[in-house]
Amino acid sequence: MYNHKLKVYGEDLYNAGTSGVVFVGGTKGALKVIVVANADAASFKASTVTIKQGDTKDSVTEKVGDITISVTSNVKKGDVLGSYMLSDDVKDYVTASMDESGESTYARVTLEYLPR
């Protein structure tokens, strides 16, 4: 089991139904977006996390990609359920949203550094 402790900028892209916008400018491909379970659960429904980017904090509308999470059982708080590497040309700001059919209140979407 992997328990994620690092939160790159002290902010989440998404946490329990609330989206946040995070500045990632100049990171040159050194970050990935991860989906982390907020609580233990017997099962986690199939979900899709959409990652968006923009040049300013108020213009984060361009889709970067999706993280698709399959139905998972015996989920423990802190388990990483999916990830997506940000490209080296990602725009300055990113955010994330989670589809309503999934576990929108039981997930946190945050950033993690990639080892270099």
Side-chain angles (χ1 to χ4, degrees):
M1 179 175 75
Y2 174 79
N3 282 312
H4 176 72
K5 302 292 184 202
L6 173 68
K7 193 188 285 188
V8 174
Y9 293 112
E11 302 172 73
D12 291 316
L13 302 178
Y14 178 91
N15 192 347
T18 303
S19 292
V21 178
V22 178
F23 178 76
V24 298
T27 55
K28 306 246 184 240
L31 295 174
K32 71 178 173 178
V33 178
I34 60 172
V35 181
V36 182
N38 273 345
D40 294 350
S43 66
F44 195 94
K45 295 177 187 174
S47 306
T48 301
V49 174
T50 301
I51 304 160
K52 295 179 182 176
Q53 66 180 350
D55 290 323
T56 67
K57 193 171 187 172
D58 297 324
S59 70
V60 184
T61 58
E62 180 184 336
K63 184 176 173 178
V64 174
D66 291 322
I67 301 171
T68 302
I69 303 166
S70 301
V71 174
T72 307
S73 58
N74 299 319
V75 174
K76 300 296 180 205
K77 181 179 180 177
D79 283 355
V80 175
L81 304 170
S83 65
Y84 183 91
M85 291 179 50
L86 293 175
S87 67
D88 59 350
D89 63 348
V90 68
K91 293 188 177 179
D92 286 344
Y93 293 88
V94 295
T95 190
S97 60
M98 192 170 214
D99 66 354
E100 294 300 320
S101 64
E103 300 283 359
S104 61
T105 59
Y106 297 109
R108 178 169 60 97
V109 181
T110 194
L111 297 166
E112 180 175 69
Y113 283 115
L114 293 169
R116 297 196 164 212

